[in-house]
Amino acid sequence: MSHAIAGGGIAALAAIRAIRRVDAAARITLVSAEDPCCYFRPMTPLVVRGERRPEDLRPEADALAGVRVVTGRATSLDAAARVLGVEGGERIPYERLLIATGSSPCVPEIAGVGEPNVHYLRTLADALALREAARPGAAAVVLGGGFVGIKTAEALAQRGVAVTVVEREGQILLPRLDAAGAALVAAALEARGIALALRDTIAEILPRGRGVRLASGRALASDFVCIAVGVRPSVAWLAGSGVAVEKAVVVDERGQTSLPGVYAAGDVAQIRDPVSGRSVVSALWTNAVQMGRVAGTNMAGGTAAWAGGPEVFNAAEIEGVPMVSVGEVLAEGERAHRVRRGPVYRKLVLDGDVLSGAIFLGEVRNAGVYSALIAARTPLGRLKDKALAGTLTYADVALGR
Ligand SMILES: Cc1cc2nc3c(=O)[nH]c(=O)nc-3n(C[C@H](O)[C@H](O)[C@H](O)COP(=O)(O)OP(=O)(O)OC[C@H]3O[C@@H](n4cnc5c(N)ncnc54)[C@H](O)[C@@H]3O)c2cc1C
């Protein structure tokens, strides 16, 4: 069987491994806009910090043995002829196609956004460019206080850059942390010297590194700017192909799109979560791996189905503060159960007898078991008191005690 894969991220890599497991002789062509492809994207902040080299991000490069890699962008899909078009004119025939083009950073409409000193952090090339810009003593503004923005700010500060994070909300890390959790992380960032400009945004990026003007009127000096205001699925190249796209490429639980022989996986795919029933674009690494595995198995003639993954799950360590945020975390009132002990903060959100969300900050030891309960929407029953005390273990859940 011949397979073509558009996009070379982790969903593609997981699919290649799955295809090979079912059909070791499968012919696979991978079309990747990035060279090198198939690296561990969440580790890019470590490249900015200078703690990892680009080659350290590719521990699974051996999986590409025997795969024909075409560097370039996929530009068209002719589903009737079963041909993938690539920039430069190459046309790749396929029996099965995987759409795995992931997502790319949103570009806000701000005056000066096209200036050469404006950066993003999505690719390895972005990380290398940021590392180059991050000279000790430089000043930078990061727009966006989500996970990518905060991770970028942290990496830059560690290199001796004076960083201000500009965030339009009244707190950072919304919607993954509530105000109390965000305040703890903000304190850790400020202790490192990272300044936060909340309830504000960039109105204009001035030319030639002369800084930025904020909507509040404040001026900030900055040699460069990094924009981190979210991502959107990379689906533009599919226009006219006939594949069903809503927020992203719609797939069923087998990873199959609306077109015969065409599958999609990862950030570019939209799938119905079997537990919540919602149609979601997860943009999570772990889910991209699972979806790639499922699609690859089915493409090669095997049988696999998406069992669902956490719709929203973030695990990170920011300035030495470990954190896990899973599910619905912003609820207040009677549904919210909090514990606050010094640098440790835990919030559990209940939906009747079901755990629907949790924040663990400062102490994340049992977070895995809570995440599993949230994903499966398992009623707590007799486990409720232990759950609220934060002491629930896998053994408790397995034994129902
Ligand atoms: C800094 C950072 C930190 C992150 N941290 C975490 C984390 O801690 N936990 C977590 O769960 N997730 C994290 N993520 C998100 C995670 O990286 C993504 O969910 C994951 O990479 C998605 O994998 P993917 O294979 O679907 O797509 P991508 O990783 O986006 O890969 C898609 C590839 O396709 C290429 N491409 C796009 N269009 C085309 C085209 N037309 N033709 C050919 N190639 C194309 C892209 O250039 C890219 O190389 C992080 C992301 C970033 C940027």
PDB file of all heavy atoms in Angstrom, residues 302-316:
ATOM      1  N   GLY A 302      -5.247  -2.035   9.546  1.00  0.00           N
ATOM      2  CA  GLY A 302      -5.542  -2.541  10.887  1.00  0.00           C
ATOM      3  C   GLY A 302      -6.820  -1.913  11.416  1.00  0.00           C
ATOM      4  O   GLY A 302      -7.555  -1.243  10.676  1.00  0.00           O
ATOM      5  N   THR A 303      -7.080  -2.132  12.691  1.00  0.00           N
ATOM      6  CA  THR A 303      -8.296  -1.589  13.299  1.00  0.00           C
ATOM      7  C   THR A 303      -7.938  -0.877  14.594  1.00  0.00           C
ATOM      8  O   THR A 303      -7.347  -1.492  15.484  1.00  0.00           O
ATOM      9  CB  THR A 303      -9.300  -2.723  13.636  1.00  0.00           C
ATOM     10  OG1 THR A 303      -9.501  -3.482  12.456  1.00  0.00           O
ATOM     11  CG2 THR A 303     -10.630  -2.167  14.127  1.00  0.00           C
ATOM     12  N   ALA A 304      -8.276   0.389  14.672  1.00  0.00           N
ATOM     13  CA  ALA A 304      -8.054   1.140  15.913  1.00  0.00           C
ATOM     14  C   ALA A 304      -9.087   2.247  15.987  1.00  0.00           C
ATOM     15  O   ALA A 304      -9.553   2.740  14.965  1.00  0.00           O
ATOM     16  CB  ALA A 304      -6.641   1.741  15.928  1.00  0.00           C
ATOM     17  N   ALA A 305      -9.450   2.620  17.196  1.00  0.00           N
ATOM     18  CA  ALA A 305     -10.433   3.698  17.378  1.00  0.00           C
ATOM     19  C   ALA A 305      -9.960   4.621  18.494  1.00  0.00           C
ATOM     20  O   ALA A 305      -9.301   4.192  19.450  1.00  0.00           O
ATOM     21  CB  ALA A 305     -11.803   3.120  17.710  1.00  0.00           C
ATOM     22  N   TRP A 306     -10.293   5.869  18.356  1.00  0.00           N
ATOM     23  CA  TRP A 306      -9.943   6.908  19.337  1.00  0.00           C
ATOM     24  C   TRP A 306     -10.764   6.671  20.607  1.00  0.00           C
ATOM     25  O   TRP A 306     -11.997   6.661  20.566  1.00  0.00           O
ATOM     26  CB  TRP A 306     -10.278   8.258  18.709  1.00  0.00           C
ATOM     27  CG  TRP A 306     -10.267   9.471  19.573  1.00  0.00           C
ATOM     28  CD1 TRP A 306     -11.345  10.223  19.933  1.00  0.00           C
ATOM     29  CD2 TRP A 306      -9.122  10.106  20.129  1.00  0.00           C
ATOM     30  NE1 TRP A 306     -10.934  11.287  20.692  1.00  0.00           N
ATOM     31  CE2 TRP A 306      -9.583  11.243  20.828  1.00  0.00           C
ATOM     32  CE3 TRP A 306      -7.761   9.829  20.112  1.00  0.00           C
ATOM     33  CZ2 TRP A 306      -8.723  12.097  21.506  1.00  0.00           C
ATOM     34  CZ3 TRP A 306      -6.903  10.682  20.788  1.00  0.00           C
ATOM     35  CH2 TRP A 306      -7.379  11.793  21.468  1.00  0.00           C
ATOM     36  N   ALA A 307     -10.056   6.480  21.718  1.00  0.00           N
ATOM     37  CA  ALA A 307     -10.762   6.233  22.969  1.00  0.00           C
ATOM     38  C   ALA A 307     -11.009   7.534  23.719  1.00  0.00           C
ATOM     39  O   ALA A 307     -11.598   7.539  24.793  1.00  0.00           O
ATOM     40  CB  ALA A 307      -9.932   5.285  23.827  1.00  0.00           C
ATOM     41  N   GLY A 308     -10.552   8.639  23.152  1.00  0.00           N
ATOM     42  CA  GLY A 308     -10.704   9.928  23.836  1.00  0.00           C
ATOM     43  C   GLY A 308      -9.467  10.208  24.655  1.00  0.00           C
ATOM     44  O   GLY A 308      -8.790   9.299  25.131  1.00  0.00           O
ATOM     45  N   GLY A 309      -9.163  11.463  24.773  1.00  0.00           N
ATOM     46  CA  GLY A 309      -8.037  11.875  25.617  1.00  0.00           C
ATOM     47  C   GLY A 309      -8.520  13.087  26.379  1.00  0.00           C
ATOM     48  O   GLY A 309      -9.653  13.528  26.172  1.00  0.00           O
ATOM     49  N   PRO A 310      -7.704  13.626  27.247  1.00  0.00           N
ATOM     50  CA  PRO A 310      -8.154  14.838  27.943  1.00  0.00           C
ATOM     51  C   PRO A 310      -8.387  15.959  26.931  1.00  0.00           C
ATOM     52  O   PRO A 310      -7.554  16.158  26.048  1.00  0.00           O
ATOM     53  CB  PRO A 310      -6.983  15.165  28.875  1.00  0.00           C
ATOM     54  CG  PRO A 310      -5.818  14.422  28.322  1.00  0.00           C
ATOM     55  CD  PRO A 310      -6.341  13.249  27.579  1.00  0.00           C
ATOM     56  N   GLU A 311      -9.537  16.599  27.031  1.00  0.00           N
ATOM     57  CA  GLU A 311      -9.812  17.710  26.105  1.00  0.00           C
ATOM     58  C   GLU A 311      -8.855  18.848  26.370  1.00  0.00           C
ATOM     59  O   GLU A 311      -8.341  19.484  25.475  1.00  0.00           O
ATOM     60  CB  GLU A 311     -11.237  18.208  26.335  1.00  0.00           C
ATOM     61  CG  GLU A 311     -12.250  17.505  25.488  1.00  0.00           C
ATOM     62  CD  GLU A 311     -13.618  18.075  25.733  1.00  0.00           C
ATOM     63  OE1 GLU A 311     -13.808  19.297  25.610  1.00  0.00           O
ATOM     64  OE2 GLU A 311     -14.489  17.285  26.069  1.00  0.00           O
ATOM     65  N   VAL A 312      -8.670  19.100  27.639  1.00  0.00           N
ATOM     66  CA  VAL A 312      -7.720  20.145  28.015  1.00  0.00           C
ATOM     67  C   VAL A 312      -6.866  19.624  29.151  1.00  0.00           C
ATOM     68  O   VAL A 312      -7.365  19.172  30.174  1.00  0.00           O
ATOM     69  CB  VAL A 312      -8.421  21.455  28.433  1.00  0.00           C
ATOM     70  CG1 VAL A 312      -8.756  22.287  27.229  1.00  0.00           C
ATOM     71  CG2 VAL A 312      -9.645  21.193  29.256  1.00  0.00           C
ATOM     72  N   PHE A 313      -5.580  19.661  28.945  1.00  0.00           N
ATOM     73  CA  PHE A 313      -4.648  19.151  29.944  1.00  0.00           C
ATOM     74  C   PHE A 313      -3.341  19.898  29.770  1.00  0.00           C
ATOM     75  O   PHE A 313      -2.817  19.974  28.663  1.00  0.00           O
ATOM     76  CB  PHE A 313      -4.418  17.649  29.731  1.00  0.00           C
ATOM     77  CG  PHE A 313      -3.388  17.071  30.659  1.00  0.00           C
ATOM     78  CD1 PHE A 313      -3.754  16.582  31.898  1.00  0.00           C
ATOM     79  CD2 PHE A 313      -2.048  17.023  30.296  1.00  0.00           C
ATOM     80  CE1 PHE A 313      -2.811  16.058  32.771  1.00  0.00           C
ATOM     81  CE2 PHE A 313      -1.093  16.501  31.158  1.00  0.00           C
ATOM     82  CZ  PHE A 313      -1.475  16.022  32.395  1.00  0.00           C
ATOM     83  N   ASN A 314      -2.845  20.470  30.819  1.00  0.00           N
ATOM     84  CA  ASN A 314      -1.533  21.110  30.739  1.00  0.00           C
ATOM     85  C   ASN A 314      -0.705  20.676  31.928  1.00  0.00           C
ATOM     86  O   ASN A 314      -1.176  20.723  33.067  1.00  0.00           O
ATOM     87  CB  ASN A 314      -1.658  22.638  30.743  1.00  0.00           C
ATOM     88  CG  ASN A 314      -2.268  23.141  29.466  1.00  0.00           C
ATOM     89  OD1 ASN A 314      -3.471  23.341  29.398  1.00  0.00           O
ATOM     90  ND2 ASN A 314      -1.462  23.310  28.440  1.00  0.00           N
ATOM     91  N   ALA A 315       0.490  20.254  31.648  1.00  0.00           N
ATOM     92  CA  ALA A 315       1.440  19.944  32.712  1.00  0.00           C
ATOM     93  C   ALA A 315       2.698  20.739  32.394  1.00  0.00           C
ATOM     94  O   ALA A 315       3.163  20.724  31.257  1.00  0.00           O
ATOM     95  CB  ALA A 315       1.743  18.455  32.742  1.00  0.00           C
ATOM     96  N   ALA A 316       3.190  21.462  33.360  1.00  0.00           N
ATOM     97  CA  ALA A 316       4.369  22.296  33.100  1.00  0.00           C
ATOM     98  C   ALA A 316       5.079  22.572  34.416  1.00  0.00           C
ATOM     99  O   ALA A 316       4.543  22.304  35.501  1.00  0.00           O
ATOM    100  CB  ALA A 316       3.942  23.615  32.460  1.00  0.00           C
TER     101      ALA A 316
END
